[in-house]
Amino acid sequence: MLSTLIYRSHICDDVPLKEIEEMVASANKKNELFDVTGILLFNGTHFFQLLEGPEKAVSNIYDRIYEDSRHHNIVELMRDYAPERRFGNLGMELFDLREHDRDSVLRAVLSKGTSTYQLTYDDRALGFLRTFVEATEKETYYEIPLPGHWVFARDDDAAVKTAEVPDESADCRFAFQPVVDPFAREIVALEALIRSPEGGLSEHYLANLPPERLYEVDLSSKAQAFAMAKRLDIGEQTLTVNLLPMSLVMVPNAVERLLQGIQDGGLVPEQIIVEFTEKQVISRLDEFGAAIRQMKAAGISLGIDDFGAGFAGLQLLTRFQPDRIKINRSIISDVHRSGPRQAIVHAIIRCCTSLEIGLTASGVEKPEEWMWLEAAGISTFQGFLFAEPVLNGIPPVAWPDNK
Ligand code: FMN
């Protein structure tokens, strides 16, 4: 099947254009061998390449291009399928945008097209091409430092802080994971994640409960989380707990019981964020809304977890505006090299900024993901890059240091 791949990248400072011309000559031969065609645009700082050909061949060539040290900040913009090639003449042709005047440059690029149909603007690939030529999106090209620019170091004297569990007979435990602001070097919140007594993950723990006990156990477990937070002496630190949305609806006096647990743990409602994941369907929205109002009136903040992972996120936002949103790992993962993910994150940031909703990126594992997200305007993060959750304890944070 004929596939199309488009990316953009930034040329490395020390690469002479002559070297690129030589590279193009040999790439041309290689592409021809694999039946891949395309065009490479260069504007003095950035490349924009469109590759067309059999799916596997295009993918293999792109993998090699991605590893090429002559460019960096490589962002894949599009992978799609097409009935015929747009630029089918050569294995690869270099087009230097600087050699043409502003008004005619797009026409000059399009004159290289080989499609029998008119190259129209409603074609996505040509949309990307035009945007690159006209440089209308340039302000969103965040140039992040190369990997290795940052080291993540734990304080020498930082250790895991653990405590005895308050009730050994309880059938759940909690692991705590910090949410951090790396530039301020501040832990902005701790999330209490439910675990089985052996440390089994929350999905398994909840999935193994009999359905008729699920909501009651979910709600009553929060008292354990608050008691554990007390033992860990979290002071005035913000604490996030997760709750199934239906636990608020199905368990009588759910909010009163939450408040009692908070008080017994020596905490105050204002330091608690209750998070609901958007993945869980809320079937009784009116009753859920009433419980939310009661929770908010008592001072507890509302968070939406796993934003972007389910199907209800945007619709949920039309009904309830939470205080905080956590973007799911599925959107965060490799965001620095994915145009679609970057566009989605930009849209979430714009939406949350308009609604004054705080935003956290969760599941951050790579320095490049963190750097791109910081550049885009997110300042709080959660993920293995900074700290892994620790059962019955609080881990130290690995803070980034500029090398
Ligand atoms: N190599 C290709 O074979 N085809 C291409 O279309 C191609 N385009 C490139 C575009 C840019 C901006 C850069 C920096 C490099 C490009 N290369 C291309 C070169 C590859 O990255 C790589 O050097 C080349 O395929 C040789 O790989 P090999 O040594 O593993 O055989």
Side-chain angles (χ1 to χ4, degrees), residues 117-382:
Y117 303 105
Q118 203 189 357
L119 293 174
T120 52
Y121 287 144
D122 56 10
D123 177 56
R124 286 186 64 222
L126 292 174
F128 279 115
L129 195 136
R130 180 171 62 158
T131 300
F132 182 80
V133 170
E134 293 174 352
T136 47
E137 285 261 320
K138 219 169 171 184
E139 73 279 6
T140 64
Y141 295 3
Y142 303 135
E143 305 296 346
I144 56 173
L146 298 175
H149 181 84
W150 297 91
V151 283
F152 286 76
R154 286 183 173 79
D155 295 339
D156 285 343
D157 55 356
V160 174
K161 186 171 167 186
T162 50
E164 295 286 316
V165 291
D167 177 6
E168 278 290 345
S169 67
D171 58 3
C172 71
R173 300 285 184 274
F174 282 87
F176 291 78
Q177 187 180 31
V179 177
V180 299
D181 179 339
F183 277 149
R185 278 193 165 240
E186 202 184 306
I187 296 177
V188 294
L190 291 168
E191 178 169 6
L193 297 149
I194 198 163
R195 296 284 187 262
S196 70
E198 301 75 38
L201 295 179
S202 55
E203 298 87 282
H204 305 146
Y205 176 76
L206 292 174
N208 286 334
L209 290 171
E212 68 281 4
R213 289 192 58 222
L214 179 63
Y215 300 120
E216 170 59 32
V217 171
D218 179 42
L219 189 91
S220 57
S221 71
K222 301 315 157 221
Q224 292 284 329
F226 300 136
M228 193 65 206
K230 183 180 188 179
R231 296 222 161 175
L232 287 164
D233 198 15
I234 72 160
E236 292 178 0
Q237 188 79 67
T238 298
L239 180 71
T240 302
V241 292
N242 298 282
L243 195 66
L244 296 169
M246 289 309 280
S247 298
L248 268 193
V249 173
M250 303 291 279
V251 180
N253 304 320
V255 177
E256 286 84 352
R257 286 178 57 189
L258 275 178
L259 290 168
Q260 189 60 52
I262 292 168
Q263 194 183 352
D264 294 346
L267 306 166
V268 293
E270 286 75 8
Q271 77 186 106
I272 305 298
I273 303 175
V274 171
E275 272 183 0
F276 300 96
T277 144
E278 75 148 69
K279 275 190 269 185
Q280 288 133 4
V281 188
I282 301 167
S283 53
R284 288 155 67 174
L285 272 179
D286 289 340
E287 286 159 282
F288 179 71
I292 292 288
R293 284 193 289 279
Q294 199 188 346
M295 225 178 63
K296 296 278 334 234
I300 298 173
S301 295
L302 172 65
I304 295 184
D305 200 2
D306 291 333
F307 192 77
F311 54 86
L314 292 177
Q315 200 214 344
L316 209 59
L317 271 191
T318 65
R319 299 278 302 238
F320 311 104
Q321 292 77 49
D323 301 284
R324 301 208 61 85
I325 278 179
K326 270 189 197 157
I327 309 178
N328 185 251
R329 162 127 194 95
S330 57
I331 295 175
I332 298 304
S333 172
D334 279 336
V335 66
H336 58 290
R337 49 182 293 187
S338 160
R341 286 188 171 91
Q342 293 179 2
I344 291 165
V345 171
H346 280 307
I348 296 175
I349 292 174
R350 266 200 303 277
C351 174
C352 287
T353 305
S354 303
L355 297 171
E356 301 292 351
I357 294 171
L359 203 50
T360 297
S362 66
V364 180
E365 291 181 358
K366 297 180 183 167
E368 298 95 312
E369 292 165 353
W370 161 64
M371 285 184 282
W372 189 89
L373 294 159
E374 278 276 3
I378 295 180
S379 55
T380 64
F381 302 86
Q382 188 174 3

Side-chain angles (χ1 to χ4, degrees), residues 7 23 27 30-31 47 49 61 64-65 68 70 92:
Y7 72 86
M23 181 276 293
K30 204 178 250 171
N31 288 6
F47 293 111
Q49 190 169 18
I61 287 175
R64 275 210 306 272
I65 295 173
D68 198 309
R70 288 169 288 200
M92 204 247 281

